[in-house]
């Protein structure tokens, strides 16, 4: 049985819901580099809330964040919700 990481889930959301090429995504790439602005981030956070059950404030993420940073943010929010 394989374990899906938060990063993997985030990549899947970017690919399936936002039509980003999987080859363009890495932990170090920023959302800006993927041509995604703050409006995109709001939509992404809503999808994360819907699909992963985690609420992240809009102030916590910015287009200059990397995909890896976003995955850590989701992990931290998940851990906080669980405690």
């Amino acid at each position: 049985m394989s374990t899906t990481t938060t990063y993997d889930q985030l990549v899947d959301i970017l690919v399936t819901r936002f039509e980003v090429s999987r080859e363009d995504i890495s932990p170090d790439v920023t959302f800006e580099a993927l041509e995604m602005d703050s409006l995109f981030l709001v939509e992404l956070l809503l999808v994360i809330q819907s699909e992963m059950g985690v609420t992240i404030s809009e102030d916590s993420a910015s287009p200059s964040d990397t995909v890896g940073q976003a995955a850590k943010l989701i992990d931290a929010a998940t851990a906080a919700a669980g405690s």
Side-chain angles (χ1 to χ4, degrees):
M1 183 165 101
S2 68
T3 329
T4 305
T5 65
T6 302
Y7 173 79
D8 292 333
Q9 288 178 286
L10 184 55
V11 169
D12 287 343
I13 288 171
L14 290 169
V15 171
T16 59
R17 298 294 287 275
F18 296 96
E19 299 179 356
V20 177
S21 171
R22 194 173 292 274
E23 293 77 37
D24 293 340
I25 303 170
S26 75
D28 297 326
V29 74
T30 65
F31 292 105
E32 286 173 330
L34 296 173
E35 299 181 10
M36 299 177 170
D37 59 14
S38 54
L39 186 60
F40 155 80
L41 277 179
V42 172
E43 190 174 345
L44 176 62
L45 295 176
L46 290 172
V47 172
I48 289 169
Q49 182 175 352
S50 166
E51 293 195 8
M52 301 172 87
V54 178
T55 303
I56 297 171
S57 79
E58 294 172 26
D59 299 335
S60 301
S62 79
S64 62
D65 289 344
T66 66
V67 177
Q69 286 172 314
K72 288 179 185 170
L73 193 61
I74 295 165
D75 281 338
T78 303
S83 58

